[in-house]
């Protein structure tokens, strides 16, 4: 939606419009074609579109930067101010990138939990009530202590990654708006003082204002550095957790060596012993 010409331009932050979608059904039938179970299938996630916040911010910031750069050069303090101007604005980022990753990890977490619950309930609803024997016991142990635990660990990492992406989205957005606010508030003042810089009093005021502006730019650069170091540490911790998960899924933690195997006894598939391995729950002792 465009901004009316009689109103100041608005910067729209990233967001995801709610699009109502109906849940589909997946039908499970037996050999005769009779429906035995209906499973709800959630709709696929809508494609997220960048709302263009960052592009509009940069487009509105550039004229303000040009005004402040001209004023700082006229003040005689241009070298230091220009260096900080570059440092502060080069660190601007598109918060939508982190928003998109936040939503992706959130969806992944929900999918993992849904699949974990499906597997858990599938065993205890369909296998445990109907079968016993050594094979059923081995399957129960594997589902309970291996698969369920791995799904839970993956879910926790996904939750933490979604949280980390949300925090970075928030910090990047706040930094962008801080930079834009500083330039939007300083540019008119610097432009006015620069136009009167031939007057010694106005020139002194211009130098003072440029000094205040430069100090604020320095604080923004330090703010960015602190944020970067903080979240670099958080991402490093998450990377270590992912390394642990690789060790659980792959031989020696190396995907190139292949996934870990169940190492089930070959007797589980031996036709001669299958009747002893899989015993119907209603069978006589």
């Amino acid at each position: 939606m465009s901004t009316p010409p009689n109103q100041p331009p608005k910067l729209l932050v990233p967001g995801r419009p709610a699009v109502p979608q109906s849940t589909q059904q997946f039908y499970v039938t037996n050999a005769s074609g009779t429906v035995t179970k209906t499973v709800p299938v959630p709709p696929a996630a809508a494609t997220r579109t960048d709302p263009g916040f960052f592009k509009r911010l940069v487009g509105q910031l550039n004229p303000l930067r040009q005004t402040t750069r001209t004023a700082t050069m006229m003040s005689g303090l241009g070298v230091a101010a220009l260096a900080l101007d570059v440092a502060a604005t080069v660190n601007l980022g598109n918060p939508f990138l982190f928003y998109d990753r936040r939503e992706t990890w959130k969806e992944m977490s929900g999918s993992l939990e849904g699949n974990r619950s499906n597997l858990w309930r599938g065993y205890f609803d369909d296998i445990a009530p109907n079968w016993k024997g050594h094979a059923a016991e081995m399957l129960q142990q594997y589902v309970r202590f291996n698969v369920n635990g791995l799904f839970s660990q993956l879910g926790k990492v996904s939750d933490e990654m979604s949280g980390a992406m949300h925090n970075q989205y928030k910090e990047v957005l706040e930094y962008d708006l801080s930079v834009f606010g500083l330039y939007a508030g300083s540019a008119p003042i610097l432009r006015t003082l620069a136009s009167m810089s031939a007057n010694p009093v106005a020139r002194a005021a211009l130098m003072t204002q440029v000094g205040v502006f430069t100090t604020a730019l320095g604080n923004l650069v330090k703010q960015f550095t602190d944020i970067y170091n903080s979240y670099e540490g958080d991402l490093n911790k998450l990377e270590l957790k992912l390394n642990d998960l690789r060790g659980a899924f792959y031989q020696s933690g190396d995907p190139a060596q292949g996934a870990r195997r169940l190492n089930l006894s070959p007797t589980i598939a031996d036709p001669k012993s299958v009747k002893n391995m899989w015993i119907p729950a209603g069978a006589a002792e």
Side-chain angles (χ1 to χ4, degrees):
M1 185 174 72
S2 61
T3 304
N6 60 340
Q7 294 183 13
K10 298 179 181 178
L11 292 172
L12 302 179
V13 300
R16 175 181 169 185
V19 180
Q21 294 178 313
S22 59
T23 300
Q24 298 178 342
Q25 302 291 328
F26 175 72
Y27 300 101
V28 180
T29 65
N30 57 21
S32 63
T34 303
V35 176
T36 59
K37 182 183 295 187
T38 302
V39 181
V41 180
T47 302
R48 289 178 288 274
T49 304
D50 190 338
F53 159 80
F54 184 66
K55 183 178 180 180
R56 288 193 296 273
L57 181 140
V58 173
Q60 295 180 33
L61 181 62
N62 284 334
L64 300 175
R65 286 187 66 198
Q66 186 60 43
T67 298
T68 57
R69 288 162 72 94
T70 301
T72 54
M73 292 299 295
M74 294 179 65
S75 71
L77 304 175
V79 176
L82 290 178
L84 287 172
D85 165 80
V86 173
T89 55
V90 77
N91 292 326
L92 291 170
N94 187 352
F96 174 78
L97 299 177
F98 297 98
Y99 169 87
D100 184 53
R101 287 164 174 77
R102 181 195 72 182
E103 295 300 298
T104 298
W105 281 103
K106 187 192 302 182
E107 292 164 2
M108 190 181 302
S109 176
S111 177
L112 284 168
E113 177 58 24
N115 290 326
R116 185 198 68 81
S117 298
N118 289 343
L119 178 66
W120 185 260
R121 296 311 315 171
Y123 174 81
F124 286 100
D125 289 346
D126 300 328
I127 304 298
N130 301 310
W131 297 96
K132 58 183 180 177
H134 184 56
E137 292 175 357
M138 293 175 66
L139 180 59
Q140 179 190 26
Q141 292 177 8
Y142 184 73
V143 170
R144 182 189 294 271
F145 298 109
N146 292 71
V147 179
N148 188 62
L150 289 175
F151 266 100
S152 296
Q153 291 180 55
L154 283 170
K156 290 179 181 178
V157 171
S158 299
D159 290 347
E160 292 184 36
M161 283 295 295
S162 180
M165 292 300 103
H166 171 74
N167 289 335
Q168 293 191 48
Y169 154 77
K170 175 177 174 291
E171 294 290 355
V172 169
L173 177 60
E174 289 181 350
Y175 179 82
D176 288 354
L177 294 178
S178 295
V179 172
F180 182 82
L182 175 62
Y183 278 86
S186 301
I189 299 174
L190 293 176
R191 180 173 57 245
T192 301
L193 293 175
S195 66
M196 300 184 297
S197 59
N199 185 296
V201 176
R203 182 173 181 80
L206 175 62
M207 296 177 64
T208 300
Q209 189 63 35
V210 168
V212 173
F213 175 70
T214 303
T215 300
L217 283 177
N219 290 335
L220 284 175
V221 173
K222 182 179 183 303
Q223 174 187 341
F224 176 85
T225 303
D226 292 340
I227 292 171
Y228 178 88
N229 290 331
S230 174
Y231 287 105
E232 179 70 14
D234 291 343
L235 292 175
N236 183 65
K237 293 177 183 178
L238 287 169
E239 184 178 1
L240 293 175
K241 291 185 178 182
L242 289 173
N243 287 340
D244 292 341
L245 284 172
R246 275 196 290 268
F249 278 107
Y250 299 104
Q251 298 287 343
S252 301
D254 183 7
Q257 298 186 28
R260 295 191 182 277
R261 298 183 178 181
L262 294 180
N263 295 323
L264 297 176
S265 171
T267 59
I268 196 171
D270 186 354
K272 297 179 180 179
S273 60
V274 68
K275 292 183 179 180
N276 297 323
M277 301 292 287
W278 291 99
I279 302 173
E285 296 291 342

